[in-house]
Amino acid sequence: MSNLLSLPIVPPQPDKEVYGFAELALFQTYTRETYLASFGVQAPAWDPSRPSKFWFDSTADSSAAGNVVAYKIFAVDSTGTWALQQLVLRAAEAAAVNLPGSVTYAPYVIAPTGATRGGSAQSAKYLSMESDARTLMAAFGATGLVDEGATIYYPMVYPPDEPRRSWAILLNGHQQNVGELLAGRNARGVGSPGRWDTSQGFAVWVPDPPAPTGLDDPRPPRPLPVRDLLPNEIIQTGLMSVSVARTDLQQANAMQSGVFLPGDRATLQGIYDIVSKLALAKQP
């Protein structure tokens, strides 16, 4: 995460009477799609040991395992009231997202070929580079490498600009086409996880079981850190929602609309007190 930047921001105060907590957020939030679009790399696979987390702080110092970072969040306190509270996270968690969803992999694209055999077009699926063939040969401990198209009868004819050949490896007496092996390896996308199994004497790619995605995780995600409330901001709870309100705009709008304000109530109370004292003074 060190090369990906997500720095704390100080959001300006909205020019609105009421607004949601998200408008006080210190960090941008991401989905798997927007993370990839922003940074050009896949977000790490969802970690089931942690709740989902849609933001990250690249300034968090995770160089030591015991480092922690503290943030302010909006949460319900022990009395059931919404308030600003402290969230303390390990720096390593603060510095990383934990986005639900599946890791996606680029599709395996096989370039077409003009190769022919006996005048018939050949499938590019069976072609591969010699370097790829030798890499698999070494990985499997194969004993030989052959070009299946180099035969006396009906040899494969390759165009001058075609560097691939119909390479096959010899493994425990089995001849396996490298192009087919590579297609099997990348059937779920380039770089998708799995392993080669040669226990039966020939190579088979075994993909890993599907990883958990977190899409059905019942735990709430890590809250989004926010800035402190300003002097003219309060938490306002309604019948169906909770939000932040600007007291200065509330008062200005109320004065324009003729609403009875707390200041008006105080003035009226003062007048009432004065009148009451005068009335008592006139009593015999």
Side-chain angles (χ1 to χ4, degrees):
M1 192 68 67
S2 58
N3 61 331
L4 305 181
L5 292 181
S6 178
L7 305 176
I9 57 175
V10 180
Q13 186 175 42
D15 188 23
K16 295 184 288 187
E17 184 175 325
V18 179
Y19 35 91
F21 294 156
E23 300 208 41
L24 278 60
L26 297 180
F27 300 98
Q28 182 176 345
T29 57
Y30 297 93
T31 63
R32 301 202 72 88
E33 293 75 19
T34 60
Y35 187 97
L36 176 60
S38 296
F39 303 113
V41 295
Q42 289 277 330
W46 185 76
D47 181 358
S49 70
R50 299 189 289 118
S52 297
K53 183 166 168 285
F54 298 92
W55 57 273
F56 72 99
D57 180 1
S58 57
T59 67
D61 180 10
S62 56
S63 58
N67 288 359
V68 297
V69 189
Y71 302 99
K72 293 288 185 65
I73 61 168
F74 285 108
V76 177
D77 62 20
S78 58
T79 68
T81 304
W82 281 93
L84 276 176
Q85 298 189 45
Q86 188 177 65
L87 171 69
V88 178
L89 295 177
R90 292 182 302 106
E93 182 179 0
V97 292
N98 192 29
L99 301 176
S102 300
V103 176
T104 58
Y105 300 92
Y108 182 59
V109 178
I110 301 174
T113 185
T116 60
R117 194 168 203 171
S120 299
Q122 296 298 292
S123 172
K125 176 182 178 180
Y126 302 102
L127 302 184
S128 60
M129 300 293 290
E130 182 177 354
S131 58
D132 292 331
R134 292 196 177 278
T135 297
L136 287 186
M137 183 179 173
F140 302 149
T143 56
L145 181 66
V146 297
D147 179 357
E148 294 178 314
T151 58
I152 297 176
Y153 301 102
Y154 300 108
M156 192 172 292
V157 179
Y158 301 99
D161 60 349
E162 175 59 84
R164 297 170 296 176
R165 296 293 182 265
S166 184
W167 294 112
I169 59 173
L170 300 177
L171 179 62
N172 299 318
H174 299 281
Q175 183 169 310
Q176 292 186 263
N177 180 271
V178 173
E180 272 193 306
L181 288 172
L182 294 175
R185 161 67 184 85
N186 296 291
R188 294 188 178 181
V190 178
S192 55
R195 61 182 178 85
W196 288 108
D197 181 8
T198 59
S199 62
Q200 302 300 313
F202 52 88
V204 177
W205 178 257
V206 181
D208 285 352
T213 64
L215 295 174
D216 57 353
D217 183 26
R219 295 171 296 181
R222 289 296 190 200
L224 185 59
V226 296
R227 64 163 170 79
D228 279 318
L229 291 176
L230 299 177
N232 63 343
E233 290 177 326
I234 59 171
I235 298 176
Q236 178 173 281
T237 304
L239 292 177
M240 301 296 292
S241 63
V242 60
S243 55
V244 177
R246 281 186 57 166
T247 55
D248 56 332
L249 292 185
Q250 281 187 331
Q251 184 171 356
N253 292 339
M255 290 178 65
Q256 291 179 2
S257 60
V259 173
F260 195 73
L261 300 171
D264 298 328
R265 184 179 300 279
T267 300
L268 185 60
Q269 183 65 47
I271 295 173
Y272 174 79
D273 292 341
I274 293 172
V275 172
S276 298
K277 289 180 180 178
L278 290 175
L280 289 173
K282 289 181 179 181
Q283 291 182 359

